[in-house]
Amino acid sequence: MMKHGKTVLLASLLIPGVALAQINEGDALGTTEADITAALESQGYAITEIETEDGEIEVEAMLGGKAYEIEISAETGNVLEIELDDEDDSDDS
């Protein structure tokens, strides 16, 4: 019985950390750079660049050593698209 309790405790400690570091399309992050930065940083992302263009807020961010490009609606604050930026695919080759 004690073994089962430790497993449940370990699982409950690990699962929230995984859930925190995950955003999905449709998630509301906010409509200002400050709101978006706070929302992403609270989930472990490091923001490298934010720019607004054509009604979208484009965020470049790092998480777990990987680069992401996140597009957010400037009107609703919802995530429109998340792309893993594969830096190995350079246009220089």
Side-chain angles (χ1 to χ4, degrees), residues 4-89:
H4 177 71
K6 287 182 182 177
T7 303
V8 171
L9 175 62
L10 181 60
S12 68
L13 291 174
L14 293 176
I15 292 169
V18 170
L20 270 180
Q22 190 72 23
I23 61 166
N24 296 296
E25 290 180 14
D27 287 355
L29 299 182
T31 56
T32 67
E33 289 186 15
D35 288 344
I36 293 165
T37 298
L40 290 172
E41 287 180 347
S42 74
Q43 295 185 37
Y45 290 86
I47 309 304
T48 57
E49 186 179 341
I50 296 180
E51 60 184 32
T52 303
E53 184 177 295
D54 298 328
E56 294 180 359
I57 301 168
E58 297 176 3
V59 181
E60 292 183 18
M62 299 289 295
L63 178 67
K66 295 182 180 180
Y68 292 88
E69 186 174 300
I70 304 161
E71 293 181 11
I72 302 160
S73 167
E75 186 178 320
T76 65
N78 291 342
V79 176
L80 301 173
E81 187 175 356
I82 304 166
E83 292 181 15
L84 180 58
D85 222 2
D86 189 357
E87 294 179 358
D88 292 337
D89 273 348

